[in-house]
Amino acid sequence: MDMIIKNGTVVSPTGMYKADILVDNGKIMAIGSFENVKAEKEVDARGLYVLPGAIDVHTHLAAPFQGGISADGYMSGTRAAVCGGTTTVFDYPVQHKGQTIHEVVNEKKEICEKEACSDYAFHCAITDFNGGEILDEMEDAVKDGIASFKCYLVYKKEGQMADDGMLVQLMMKGKELGAMINVHAENPDLIDVLTEKYASEGKLSPWYHYMSRPEFVEAEADKRVVHWATHLDAPIYIVHMADKEGLLACLRAKAEGVPVFVETCPQYLEFTCDVYKREDGRNFVCSPPMKGEESRQALWKAVSDGMIDVVATDHCPFMSYEKDWGKNDFRKIPNGCAGIENRYPYMLDAANRGRISFERAVELCASNPAKIFGCSNKGTLTPGKDADIVLYDPDLDFTVHIENMHSDYDHTIWEGIQMHGYPVQTYLRGKLVYDHGEYVGKPGDGNYVKRDPVMR
Ligand code: DUC
Ligand code: ZN
Ligand code: ZN
């Protein structure tokens, strides 16, 4: 036996209990009471919580975007992930016109083989319907474990937008194959009209990033997507939900049995659009933008009621000099913020303070993402699954500073945020990769996660 983790409190999505965990060959062998079992390594987890490694199903690593390139590559992004208890990272490579899905993904896979510090998977963002050939390619991609695809309903000028015709065809094919279609839901034409209007009035501060993409811009697209899911009876996963009106439309549809899945991110739970009035407002520019307090409260309610399915990050940080391009013109600010190292600790902090349960934090950050995206070896501490394990000290206080993060960016929207309770160790398939503030793994430790199709 390689390792025994003794005397900890194991957290599952359905309960918490004192138990020991046996690990061998990177897998969880058994959970129970093992007084007399000897293992090569013994870890005393007395006073600690033993959690499944989290899964971040929404990141943009080394992503060229809006003139910049996201500041975390595959090495630093996945290194930061494990230092925050996230052991599997999903990236969103974007198809360039004419590229096949395999070309898009294989290019990234090659980099990850050498660089990844966590396990990794891909959702391919489809931008070129290629006369319908993409539908055939989806079949092969699913066989290779790429069981989800993304449609941007925005970023028209960037050449990344999927129109409604493409979206519905991908949804129908996704349903047939057991593949999920993820959407970034905002209305591009409304954004253009509002952006033009404010620019023509000389209103170009970061506040107008929010004003040109307010609640109803997101809600329109959310409702459109829910409409397609309802009438096609085809699953849809809405990424980074940030507005109350769209959220309520999703929840109504869910209650009627429509296969709509909802993700939100910590930035929408913590901040409101007021951040765009701050001196450093440009650093908070992401799309969709943070909304008003009513939306923030509605998101928290749905998080605690069990109605939101996943909390992910949309991790896409840019360096200060890139954010500064738009100091006086919000249209020039590359969209995106950091979060890959902060999400699990943030949701666990919410649990530690009693806002949600620990079980719910684990469900949102680990077990639901695994279930929805077909990672059968991940997401819970269960015999037979990968030994992706986080030890969490509920009494350790931690304040986020750029200096104690493990990314390559030079500022963070989470600066100064205080957490009560923090991860102290992360094991990736049984190997210690994070230990009390230090990254102790090596790039290349990460494996590709081949996913199963999920029929819904
Ligand atoms: N939104 C962001 O803020 N950044 C990356 C892509 C996205 O949709
Ligand atoms: Zn997006
Ligand atoms: Zn994104």
Side-chain angles (χ1 to χ4, degrees):
M1 193 63 56
D2 289 337
M3 178 164 70
I4 179 165
I5 299 177
K6 293 184 96 153
N7 307 316
T9 300
V10 174
V11 185
S12 84
T14 51
M16 293 173 67
Y17 50 95
K18 290 238 181 279
D20 307 329
I21 298 191
L22 297 181
V23 173
D24 203 38
N25 261 326
K27 295 278 182 194
I28 296 171
M29 300 307 288
I31 303 182
S33 182
F34 306 109
E35 297 262 309
N36 301 319
V37 173
K38 289 273 165 278
E40 270 175 45
K41 178 171 172 167
E42 261 195 31
V43 179
D44 186 6
R46 197 176 300 273
L48 304 179
Y49 294 165
V50 186
L51 310 162
I55 302 175
D56 188 346
V57 291
H58 191 159
T59 73
H60 303 270
L61 300 177
F65 192 55
Q66 295 174 328
I69 174 146
S70 62
D72 267 331
Y74 291 94
M75 190 187 297
S76 63
T78 53
R79 180 180 69 212
V82 297
C83 295
T86 292
T87 44
T88 303
V89 169
F90 281 57
D91 183 47
Y92 271 112
V94 177
Q95 176 200 28
H96 301 297
K97 303 286 173 205
Q99 260 188 320
T100 65
I101 295 172
H102 275 113
E103 281 164 359
V104 179
V105 170
N106 288 344
E107 193 185 302
K108 305 298 179 187
K109 252 190 189 171
E110 273 177 32
I111 304 172
C112 285
E113 272 164 26
K114 295 187 201 88
E115 296 193 2
C117 305
S118 71
D119 284 354
Y120 52 91
F122 304 96
H123 319 275
C124 183
I126 308 288
T127 62
D128 186 356
F129 195 58
N130 212 351
E133 268 181 38
I134 211 76
L135 300 173
D136 296 332
E137 283 182 37
M138 280 169 74
E139 296 189 12
D140 284 343
V142 170
K143 285 185 197 135
D144 281 351
I146 307 153
S148 49
F149 305 91
K150 182 178 197 180
C151 288
Y152 283 104
L153 305 188
V154 286
Y155 303 133
K156 211 184 204 174
K157 287 196 278 289
E158 289 84 346
Q160 295 185 359
M161 193 186 92
D163 61 21
D164 286 349
M166 177 162 147
L167 170 66
V168 295
Q169 291 187 74
L170 293 184
M171 286 175 71
M172 289 189 290
K173 192 69 182 179
K175 177 181 175 170
E176 182 192 316
L177 298 174
M180 185 64 95
I181 305 300
N182 307 345
V183 285
H184 173 137
E186 287 182 293
N187 181 305
D189 298 320
L190 280 171
I191 295 169
D192 284 350
V193 168
L194 293 171
T195 303
E196 279 292 299
K197 169 181 149 50
Y198 292 119
S200 70
E201 295 166 3
K203 294 174 172 165
L204 291 170
S205 73
W207 173 248
Y208 291 94
H209 174 69
Y210 163 66
M211 289 295 281
S212 59
R213 308 173 97 111
E215 280 78 348
F216 67 89
V217 165
E218 188 179 334
E220 187 281 334
D222 292 330
K223 289 178 176 175
R224 184 157 32 104
V225 164
V226 167
H227 182 78
W228 297 129
T230 305
H231 292 284
L232 302 171
D233 189 27
I236 196 84
Y237 176 92
I238 303 183
V239 302
H240 50 43
M241 175 65 65
D243 77 291
K244 179 179 175 181
E245 189 182 334
L247 172 68
L248 296 185
C250 291
L251 302 191
R252 276 193 298 275
K254 262 175 170 307
E256 287 164 12
V258 180
V260 175
F261 298 83
V262 180
E263 168 196 288
T264 192
C265 308
Q267 56 271 36
Y268 304 116
L269 296 171
E270 180 65 17
F271 304 109
T272 68
C273 51
D274 284 348
V275 290
Y276 300 115
K277 294 178 179 162
R278 286 169 42 162
E279 168 54 32
D280 61 348
R282 62 191 173 284
N283 291 339
F284 293 79
V285 165
C286 56
S287 289
M290 282 52 128
K291 305 295 198 308
E293 180 62 13
E294 235 187 280
S295 286
R296 194 178 81 90
Q297 291 298 340
L299 290 167
W300 263 119
K301 183 170 180 328
V303 159
S304 36
D305 287 355
M307 298 306 286
I308 279 183
D309 299 285
V310 170
V311 174
T313 64
D314 200 11
H315 183 78
C316 188
F318 290 94
M319 299 299 265
S320 299
Y321 78 88
E322 293 169 302
K323 289 290 196 185
D324 288 351
W325 294 334
K327 203 169 179 175
N328 301 312
D329 185 345
F330 73 89
R331 297 170 299 177
K332 298 182 180 151
I333 306 169
N335 292 193
C337 300
I340 205 165
E341 192 168 349
N342 313 108
R343 170 201 60 148
Y344 206 22
Y346 180 81
M347 296 310 293
L348 294 168
D349 170 82
N352 216 10
R353 292 175 197 268
R355 186 155 201 172
I356 57 172
S357 66
F358 275 97
E359 291 91 331
R360 181 79 181 122
V362 159
E363 187 174 49
L364 287 160
C365 298
S367 64
N368 276 355
K371 243 190 259 168
I372 293 169
F373 290 107
C375 308
S376 49
N377 289 322
K378 307 277 185 195
T380 53
L381 299 176
T382 306
K385 291 203 185 201
D386 289 347
D388 297 339
I389 301 172
V390 173
L391 301 189
Y392 176 84
D393 182 349
D395 296 319
L396 179 65
D397 287 314
F398 184 91
T399 304
V400 176
H401 293 301
I402 189 68
E403 295 79 15
N404 56 24
M405 295 289 95
H406 298 80
S407 279
D408 272 353
Y409 50 68
D410 63 352
H411 66 97
T412 169
I413 59 169
W414 299 99
E415 184 69 39
I417 297 276
Q418 295 176 353
M419 316 260 188
H420 182 52
Y422 208 74
V424 289
Q425 286 191 331
T426 304
Y427 293 86
L428 176 66
R429 284 175 280 99
K431 178 179 175 178
L432 183 65
V433 290
Y434 170 74
D435 192 15
H436 294 86
E438 301 294 328
Y439 172 65
V440 296
K442 71 171 182 5
D445 279 342
N447 280 355
Y448 173 61
V449 180
K450 187 169 182 220
R451 296 179 287 124
D452 307 320
V454 183
M455 303 312 288
R456 298 164 233 259

